[in-house]
Amino acid sequence: MSRGVRESISKHSFSSRMIIIGIFLVLFSAHDLFSFSEAQQLQFGFYSETCPSAESIVGDVVKQAVTKDPRNAAVLLRLHFHDCFVEGCDGSILIKHEVNDDERFAPGNAGVGGFDVIDNAKSELERLCPGVVSCADIVALAARNAVVAAKGPFYEVPTGRRDGLTSDKSNAANLPDVEDSINILKSKFREKGLSDKDLVLLSAGAHTIGTTACFFIMSRLDAQDSTISPEFFQVLRSKCPKGGDVNVRIPLDWESQFVFDEQIFRNIRDGKGVIKSDSVLYQDNDMKNIIESYLASNESSEANFAADFAEAMVTMGAIGVKTGVKGEVRRICNATN
């Protein structure tokens, strides 16, 4: 672990008090949201009787995966996002066809991973509670536990999702992209019922952990994007030189890539946003104000980010869910029954 990461852990890790505040605020808002939504019918503690150990099993598998490789936290968080933004949060991204025409092969899903972690959790759950826990719920729970493993807030995840029956890469053609303008990003999020604040939290905020490939920033480096500070431009250019290996991975949050904190917003403000879709947020006045609210010099700013991020995750996790008799509970996650 680098000195910067260690210092960030000391300076920015959320205190127990902040996490408790985040949990309270999220539970309050989330229960309010789901108690008035008959269409979604997700429930807190959905498996409390049918598979009481479901959440702890997923948590244990995720903890082992992140302990083995800290990068897995961001991978699992991204997997949940990319699943929800296509067919809804129904595990459709997990389905794999022999002819490679499924979602995971869509250009916008390049680099998405974590499938092995989900499969490991599913195998253990099938051993203890066969045919009970959906793959879609495993993805949602794994994302929550990934955030916790990166020292982010714990939040309750409403469950009861059922798994989708189809996966087609053509349906993933409109995923948010690193080259999207601010207006396009706003439009794509609003189409999913997400607010501009959700955009800041689920796009830039989620990039508090994780990496990207040089491939996704080469164009803005070659164009000498003015939203990148001159000093940071030189850093990025040294890691991603012209004619270099575009598969080299670099941190999205240069200061604390394995720690869930508000540093990513400070980076964006200071011209150190790595990908274009993060940097453009600060060029929009409304988005700028949201970002600044998490950097305010008061003791509640970190707690607000924790609570708001968790609430946004719960909201995103309800996009297009299948419940009741819709969909199925797959026996294995990469194929329908």
Side-chain angles (χ1 to χ4, degrees):
M1 182 180 292
S2 69
R3 180 173 65 86
V5 172
R6 290 196 300 270
E7 290 175 349
S8 180
I9 292 174
S10 174
K11 184 176 180 181
H12 298 294
S13 293
F14 292 100
S15 67
S16 298
R17 178 174 174 272
M18 290 177 175
I19 293 178
I20 291 172
I21 292 172
I23 296 169
F24 174 79
L25 292 175
V26 170
L27 288 178
F28 180 85
S29 59
H31 276 292
D32 182 68
L33 170 67
F34 287 99
S35 62
F36 292 95
S37 179
E38 294 180 356
Q40 290 161 347
Q41 298 177 343
L42 298 181
Q43 302 173 25
F44 293 96
F46 181 82
Y47 299 109
S48 59
E49 295 184 4
T50 55
C51 190
S53 59
E55 294 198 23
S56 62
I57 288 172
V58 175
D60 288 343
V61 171
V62 170
K63 184 178 181 179
Q64 292 172 13
V66 176
T67 299
K68 182 179 180 180
D69 186 347
R71 292 174 296 183
N72 280 327
V75 168
L76 291 168
L77 181 56
R78 186 180 184 219
L79 178 65
H80 185 34
F81 179 94
H82 282 250
D83 181 36
C84 292
F85 258 76
V86 182
E87 294 291 332
C89 310
D90 67 347
S92 57
I93 196 172
L94 306 174
I95 296 174
K96 191 175 188 307
H97 299 152
E98 292 183 1
V99 293
N100 297 344
D101 62 352
D102 44 80
E103 281 181 38
R104 69 173 77 183
F105 286 96
N109 283 329
V112 173
F115 304 106
D116 56 332
V117 180
I118 304 302
D119 287 342
N120 290 341
K122 179 62 172 175
S123 295
E124 183 64 13
L125 287 166
E126 284 298 297
R127 185 179 67 83
L128 296 176
C129 312
V132 173
V133 183
S134 70
C135 300
D137 275 343
I138 295 172
V139 172
L141 292 168
R144 186 270 309 278
N145 286 94
V147 170
V148 173
K151 303 186 184 301
F154 176 90
Y155 56 94
E156 294 290 347
V157 175
T159 45
R161 299 167 188 79
R162 286 170 65 85
D163 298 320
L165 302 173
T166 62
S167 182
D168 190 326
K169 68 179 181 181
S170 65
N171 293 334
N174 201 39
L175 283 164
D177 187 81
V178 295
E179 295 293 332
D180 284 343
S181 68
I182 185 63
N183 288 332
I184 291 176
L185 287 170
K186 285 182 176 182
S187 176
K188 288 181 177 180
F189 272 71
R190 288 169 181 171
E191 285 175 0
K192 299 299 179 181
L194 299 172
S195 68
D196 292 350
K197 187 176 182 179
D198 292 328
L199 166 56
V200 171
L201 292 162
L202 297 172
S203 183
H207 293 158
T208 177
I209 54 177
T211 63
T212 190
C214 286
F215 173 83
F216 293 106
I217 68 169
M218 281 299 195
S219 61
R220 71 188 305 230
L221 293 180
D222 292 343
Q224 297 189 343
D225 189 332
S226 61
T227 62
I228 308 174
S229 73
E231 296 80 7
F232 193 57
F233 178 89
Q234 295 302 323
V235 173
L236 293 179
R237 185 87 276 185
S238 69
K239 299 295 182 182
C240 303
K242 287 186 177 181
D245 183 357
V246 297
N247 295 311
V248 170
R249 301 199 69 82
I250 57 176
L252 287 164
D253 180 351
W254 211 264
E255 304 297 327
S256 53
Q257 65 168 305
F258 298 126
V259 182
F260 184 96
D261 58 23
E262 82 291 349
Q263 180 63 39
I264 186 67
F265 296 128
R266 191 170 290 107
N267 294 344
I268 293 170
R269 179 196 65 189
D270 296 342
K272 296 180 180 179
V274 175
I275 56 177
K276 181 179 177 181
S277 58
D278 282 352
S279 295
V280 297
L281 296 180
Y282 204 71
Q283 311 309 309
D284 178 271
N285 285 334
D286 292 337
M287 300 296 185
K288 179 179 179 179
N289 289 336
I290 295 170
I291 291 172
E292 290 289 351
S293 72
Y294 298 123
L295 297 176
S297 299
N298 60 67
E299 63 181 16
S300 67
S301 59
E302 287 185 354
N304 288 342
F305 174 42
D308 290 353
F309 179 83
E311 183 176 350
M313 288 292 289
V314 172
T315 302
M316 184 189 75
I319 295 174
V321 294
K322 297 170 177 62
T323 59
V325 298
K326 296 179 180 178
E328 65 181 7
V329 176
R330 295 184 208 137
R331 290 188 291 270
I332 58 174
C333 288
N334 64 9
T336 60
N337 294 340

